[in-house]
Amino acid sequence: MNLDQKLLRQYQSGEGLPVAVKSSSLAESLKINLEKIDLAGPRIELSFIVGQQFLQAEDVVHGGAVAMMLDFAMAYAALLAIADGLSVATINMNVSYLRSAKPGQYRAVAEVERCGKAVVFTRAQLLDRESKAVATSVSSLAVVAPRRKSGIEPFAGAEIA
């Protein structure tokens, strides 16, 4: 099973949240926490702490890092909507940047608009610490079989109970 999907299933009741996401070095770099899960949407909320390593020359968060946070959230929402043992891969993503982002804390709230057999349609908002929208996004994600073979070890820092 996809390591992120396994984490989501473990905490889908909401008990034990928030919890750090440590399934990849990228997740650890963004200090991602799984904050809330609402299976009715499905809807998910993740938090991030964006450090200096994600800044571009004007001391604002690089647009790619903003898109990455939105992509994480939409993929996690999609993983909630699909069957166990499957995974998702982003087909396309449209981001609207509403204001510049400074280093610090962010929340991404994502939900599934429609879940088909082959494609999941999602949308998300990235909010700053004052709950102002920094960016919004919509995405289509393909439902795929996971690529990780069971004999391959996960990222060294991955913590899946």
Side-chain angles (χ1 to χ4, degrees), residues 27-46:
E28 285 198 28
S29 294
L30 285 167
K31 296 179 176 42
I32 300 176
N33 272 336
L34 176 56
E35 298 287 341
K36 295 179 186 173
I37 294 176
D38 176 5
L39 293 176
R43 182 180 164 106
I44 195 157
E45 184 176 319
L46 301 176

Side-chain angles (χ1 to χ4, degrees), residues 1-159:
M1 179 184 285
N2 175 305
L3 292 176
D4 291 317
Q5 189 182 52
K6 187 173 180 179
L7 177 73
L8 293 170
R9 294 291 189 249
Q10 182 178 347
Y11 290 97
Q12 69 186 13
S13 70
E15 288 185 45
L17 295 180
V19 66
V21 176
K22 296 185 177 186
S23 55
S24 69
S25 57
L26 186 56
E28 285 198 28
S29 294
L30 285 167
K31 296 179 176 42
I32 300 176
N33 272 336
L34 176 56
E35 298 287 341
K36 295 179 186 173
I37 294 176
D38 176 5
L39 293 176
R43 182 180 164 106
I44 195 157
E45 184 176 319
L46 301 176
S47 65
F48 307 85
I49 299 176
V50 179
Q52 301 292 320
Q53 72 271 34
F54 294 104
L55 299 184
Q56 48 96 318
E58 293 296 320
D59 287 333
V60 297
V61 177
H62 189 281
V66 169
M68 185 170 39
M69 290 183 276
L70 290 162
D71 191 40
F72 259 110
M74 291 184 291
Y76 277 30
L79 286 170
L80 287 171
I82 63 173
D84 288 351
L86 296 176
S87 192
V88 293
T90 302
I91 298 170
N92 65 33
M93 185 170 147
N94 184 3
V95 179
S96 296
Y97 297 94
L98 307 175
R99 60 178 40 86
S100 62
K102 301 290 184 187
Q105 296 179 330
Y106 289 89
R107 283 184 307 124
V109 179
E111 64 186 332
V112 171
E113 291 186 324
R114 182 176 182 281
C115 182
K117 291 179 182 178
V119 180
V120 181
F121 300 91
T122 62
R123 66 176 169 213
Q125 274 192 320
L126 184 67
L127 307 166
D128 66 15
R129 69 172 43 141
E130 293 152 6
S131 293
K132 291 182 182 174
V134 172
T136 60
S137 185
V138 293
S139 180
S140 304
L141 298 103
V143 178
V144 298
R147 299 181 86 187
R148 184 181 305 277
K149 302 227 185 308
S150 59
I152 299 173
E153 290 298 315
F155 165 68
E159 291 181 14

